[in-house]
Amino acid sequence: MKFLLNTGSTIDEGRLAKGGNKYSEEYKKECAVCWISPEDFDLLGCPEKVKVTSTDGRYSIVVNTKCTDRVMCGNIFMPRAIWSNVVVNPWTFSTGSPLYKGSPVTVEPSDDEVLDAEDVVLKLYYGGE
Amino acid sequence: MVVKNVVCPVCGGSCEDIQVELKDNSITVKNACKMGNGKFQEVVSEHRIKDPMIKKDGKFVKVSWEEALDKAAEILANSRRPLLFMGSETSCEAQEVGLHMGEYLGGVVDSNATICHGPTCMGIQEAGLPTSTCGVAINRSDLNIYWGTNPLASMPRHMSKYGLFPRGYWTKRGRFDRKVITVDPRKTDTAVASDLHIQLQPNSDYELLNALLTILNGKTPHHSVEQVTGIAISVMEEMVDMMLEAKFGSINVGLGAGSSFGKHRNIEMALNLVKELNNNHGTKFRIGALRGHCNVAGFNQIATYLYGYPFALDFARGYARYNPGETSCVDLLREKDVDAALVLGADLVGHTPADSAKYLCQIPMVCIDIAPGPTPSGADVLLPGVIDAFECDGTFYRLDNVPVYFEPFTDSPFDFTKSNEDTMKQLFAKVKELKEKA
Ligand code: SF4
């Protein structure tokens, strides 16, 4: 299903990131998450995990789901962190700032493993090719 | 001993009223929010990066400060087009050395200021900035608008210090003298605490601002705007009425406006709305960016007064050029247009899109940081960072561009460097040595 991805801070994301805990389980639990509205969550079949894929289809990331009425139908939210930034649209429209808010993405249920932050760097970025 | 009036180096709020009591292995902090407190605990944390390191065969090896610094200087001096990324979690003084080093090397110097409120700066260049300091907002504002921002998560004390609760000269009853409107596609805690929540569709800020301007001018916008923004025209009219009833309004824009479709044009439209309110409608408004990172405003200020441009400065031709989209870090990395990088006090690997982050991991990278994370993992040389405002003095610029001088409450834990400014200066001296030898 197609969605618009919104990314942003959450208070615990801030607390953990600023406290230097980006490689902690707690940070992963807070940030490797996709917030989905109850209607869309039902349509997706109430999955525990989803694979979010970037606009151009080149990058995907698997994260846990959180069903919440804080987001509207058709939108998803992910805390700003390495997981969400894997799928953020890298084009900056000649401003230097990527589309951290409002990137079109695809979401599908997944059974794959949710990577640790360090593994995202090592597996996806570092010698990933 | 309790130290008072410590400045918090975490978000653009630069709270200057923190109380700290440092004991052997613990630190007690008063007045800071959850996020600020997290960073204060870094002074005594176990995971602090304490040793200079070089990556050999894919693994970090502890080396002497001299060896690490030599290697870092070598990477920069041998690069044909280095990117120097001066993060926000450090002082203007350290960023200034980075700007001079970029000029010397003919590289590109950029900062969090770009991926944060870069589009806001560009909007201001288009339309001018009708603004004031936060002090004016405290004393005067009876309406507070949070546009595309959730300060309860990004600047947790904004509401209590500047936005909603503070009692000022004409706002003696604090919250009771103020109304709050939040414009956000998400039902955030800030939105829940507001008098009016405009839950617009993402990427429709420009259309909504345009519609508000139309209503302000006494006309009814085309009905299609309801479908585009998801907001009924009657609700927009209610918002305009609240704005017109206000004696003094304060608009705080976040990344919701500058980071979504429309980018700097969204900001330009918001600035035009404020100008219209001020010029023709008998009310007064200010607008300001809510700057989530510590010293992003500082980079804009010093880069502008030293070289004429607020971010994305390219020195390849020997003088500064500014062309966001070409000379800005995400674009340079995505297009593989630099061949080495220095990252100071920022998690660039964690906070740029995959194409850029991946390339950054592939080129030689020097990183100055305090704790493990994606950018230190991707680095080739890792230099321990000193925490500004805790362990050394310097200057930050607050969200409203007010400079705040800070003094430390403890010393640098290292004998090889006193501050990030010191590290940058030592590195620059080595780079010059190598360049001159060549
Ligand atoms: S609001 Fe910002 S500056 Fe103030 S204590 Fe919290 S993190 Fe620090």
Side-chain angles (χ1 to χ4, degrees):
Chain A
M1 273 171 74
K2 300 242 181 261
F3 288 89
L4 287 180
L5 166 68
N6 182 4
T7 71
S9 31
T10 66
I11 185 68
D12 285 314
E13 170 271 323
R15 173 177 65 84
L16 295 160
K18 302 298 176 183
N21 293 306
K22 287 198 172 173
Y23 283 167
S24 67
E25 240 345 272
E26 217 186 337
Y27 185 70
K28 179 175 161 187
K29 209 170 149 218
E30 176 67 23
C31 298
V33 177
C34 176
W35 299 23
I36 307 175
S37 72
E39 297 88 335
D40 292 332
F41 191 66
D42 269 354
L43 282 176
L44 283 164
C46 309
E48 231 170 78
K49 288 182 283 185
V50 285
K51 181 161 97 178
V52 186
T53 303
S54 62
T55 317
D56 59 9
R58 288 173 50 231
Y59 293 99
S60 298
I61 192 87
V62 175
V63 290
N64 295 312
T65 53
K66 172 173 164 176
C67 171
T68 167
D69 65 357
R70 295 256 162 161
V71 290
M72 288 190 285
C73 230
N75 299 342
I76 54 167
F77 173 82
M78 290 170 76
R80 63 161 182 202
I82 193 157
W83 296 273
S84 58
N85 287 322
V86 167
V87 287
V88 159
N89 190 324
W91 297 98
T92 72
F93 309 93
S94 294
T95 65
S97 155
L99 208 55
Y100 288 120
K101 309 204 180 250
S103 284
V105 293
T106 319
V107 176
E108 57 194 301
S110 172
D111 285 329
D112 291 350
E113 175 203 9
V114 179
L115 294 178
D116 293 334
E118 194 169 10
D119 284 338
V120 176
V121 182
L122 298 179
K123 291 190 181 152
L124 267 172
Y125 296 164
Y126 219 78
E129 263 170 10
Chain B
M1 194 186 70
V2 176
V3 188
K4 291 189 176 170
N5 302 334
V6 174
V7 175
C8 172
V10 173
C11 78
S14 298
C15 296
E16 66 306 82
D17 58 350
I18 314 294
Q19 286 187 26
V20 171
E21 190 175 6
L22 185 60
K23 298 201 185 113
D24 279 349
N25 280 319
S26 69
I27 180 166
T28 317
V29 184
K30 277 194 193 150
N31 293 348
C33 67
K34 251 186 175 181
M35 213 160 82
N37 184 51
K39 179 116 181 190
F40 275 87
Q41 298 304 325
E42 284 290 87
V43 179
V44 292
S45 82
E46 298 270 309
H47 57 237
R48 180 88 183 260
I49 297 171
K50 295 201 179 81
D51 301 291
M53 283 185 268
I54 292 181
K55 203 179 263 167
K56 290 179 182 162
D57 301 323
K59 289 233 151 46
F60 276 116
V61 186
K62 286 183 193 173
V63 293
S64 69
W65 176 250
E66 283 305 309
E67 192 182 337
L69 214 55
D70 282 339
K71 180 74 187 161
E74 198 188 296
I75 288 176
L76 294 172
N78 289 340
S79 160
R80 293 179 61 196
R81 189 162 163 76
L83 165 68
L84 284 76
F85 192 86
M86 299 297 106
S88 57
E89 300 211 1
T90 195
S91 64
C92 291
E93 287 79 354
Q95 294 172 340
E96 185 182 342
V97 183
L99 279 158
H100 293 319
M101 190 163 17
E103 183 185 21
Y104 178 83
L105 287 168
V108 189
V109 188
D110 207 358
S111 165
N112 295 73
T114 311
I115 51 182
C116 176
H117 272 289
T120 310
C121 285
M122 292 174 70
I124 293 168
Q125 288 170 331
E126 296 289 332
L129 181 64
T131 193
S132 72
T133 63
C134 291
V136 176
I138 291 172
N139 282 320
R140 293 178 185 272
S141 83
D142 51 357
L143 175 67
N144 208 10
I145 299 178
Y146 289 114
W147 193 297
T149 179
N150 175 23
L152 282 176
S154 58
M155 192 179 288
R157 293 180 73 201
H158 188 273
M159 280 191 156
S160 60
K161 280 197 77 179
Y162 307 119
L164 187 52
F165 298 105
R167 294 158 197 265
Y169 194 85
W170 284 282
T171 49
K172 291 218 163 49
R173 298 184 309 146
R175 173 67 173 108
F176 301 108
D177 282 335
R178 283 197 184 89
K179 292 226 163 86
V180 185
I181 302 173
T182 295
V183 183
D184 201 314
R186 197 158 53 101
K187 204 201 288 169
T188 60
D189 292 336
T190 306
V192 172
S194 303
D195 300 292
L196 179 65
H197 176 203
I198 305 281
Q199 196 168 14
L200 82 172
Q201 287 294 339
N203 298 335
S204 68
D205 300 63
Y206 189 88
E207 288 82 352
L208 178 59
L209 284 158
N210 242 308
L212 294 175
L213 203 56
T214 307
I215 296 170
L216 203 54
N217 284 320
K219 306 253 165 52
T220 306
H222 190 265
H223 59 81
S224 63
V225 77
E226 292 190 331
Q227 204 192 341
V228 174
T229 61
I231 306 296
I233 290 176
S234 59
V235 177
M236 295 180 198
E237 284 167 347
E238 186 188 344
M239 178 169 176
V240 170
D241 284 344
M242 283 171 80
M243 291 167 101
L244 290 173
E245 275 163 22
K247 291 196 194 78
F248 188 95
S250 173
I251 304 181
N252 305 282
V253 279
L255 292 191
S259 273
S260 53
F261 269 118
K263 296 273 176 189
H264 57 302
R265 296 296 174 204
N266 297 338
I267 304 295
E268 185 189 352
M269 192 46 69
L271 293 164
N272 286 337
L273 180 74
V274 172
K275 282 194 281 187
E276 177 64 24
L277 281 159
N278 284 343
N279 290 342
N280 301 323
H281 297 277
T283 178
K284 288 287 170 256
F285 268 72
R286 74 173 284 276
I287 184 165
L290 207 115
R291 313 207 66 159
H293 298 287
C294 174
N295 192 28
V296 269
F299 185 84
N300 290 149
Q301 293 290 333
I302 60 160
T304 305
Y305 82 64
L306 287 169
Y307 295 104
Y309 301 114
F311 60 91
L313 298 103
D314 182 0
F315 292 99
R317 294 187 192 166
Y319 54 86
R321 276 172 68 243
Y322 163 73
N323 189 17
E326 181 206 348
T327 63
S328 35
C329 92
V330 168
D331 303 275
L332 286 165
L333 291 167
R334 191 194 61 233
E335 296 303 312
K336 304 185 168 47
D337 213 3
V338 286
D339 60 355
L342 163 69
V343 182
L344 164 62
D347 185 8
L348 206 49
V349 173
H351 291 274
T352 46
D355 279 335
S356 309
K358 194 171 182 179
Y359 184 64
L360 185 60
C361 289
Q362 285 163 5
I363 57 175
M365 193 222 304
V366 181
C367 168
I368 306 175
D369 214 329
I370 58 167
T375 305
S377 292
D380 296 278
V381 179
L382 190 51
L383 303 170
V386 179
I387 309 180
D388 287 88
F390 296 175
E391 301 166 345
C392 61
D393 69 340
T395 315
F396 293 148
Y397 276 76
R398 208 170 65 181
L399 74 156
D400 51 353
N401 295 310
V402 172
V404 177
Y405 171 70
F406 55 82
E407 283 179 304
F409 59 86
T410 179
D411 296 321
S412 159
F414 314 115
D415 50 15
F416 44 75
T417 181
K418 292 199 294 285
S419 60
N420 292 336
E421 180 193 1
D422 185 16
T423 303
M424 288 294 290
K425 280 184 173 162
Q426 292 185 44
L427 184 58
F428 194 9
K430 290 249 182 205
V431 167
K432 273 188 182 157
E433 222 176 84
L434 282 180
K435 277 283 191 195
E436 267 143 46
K437 235 193 258 168

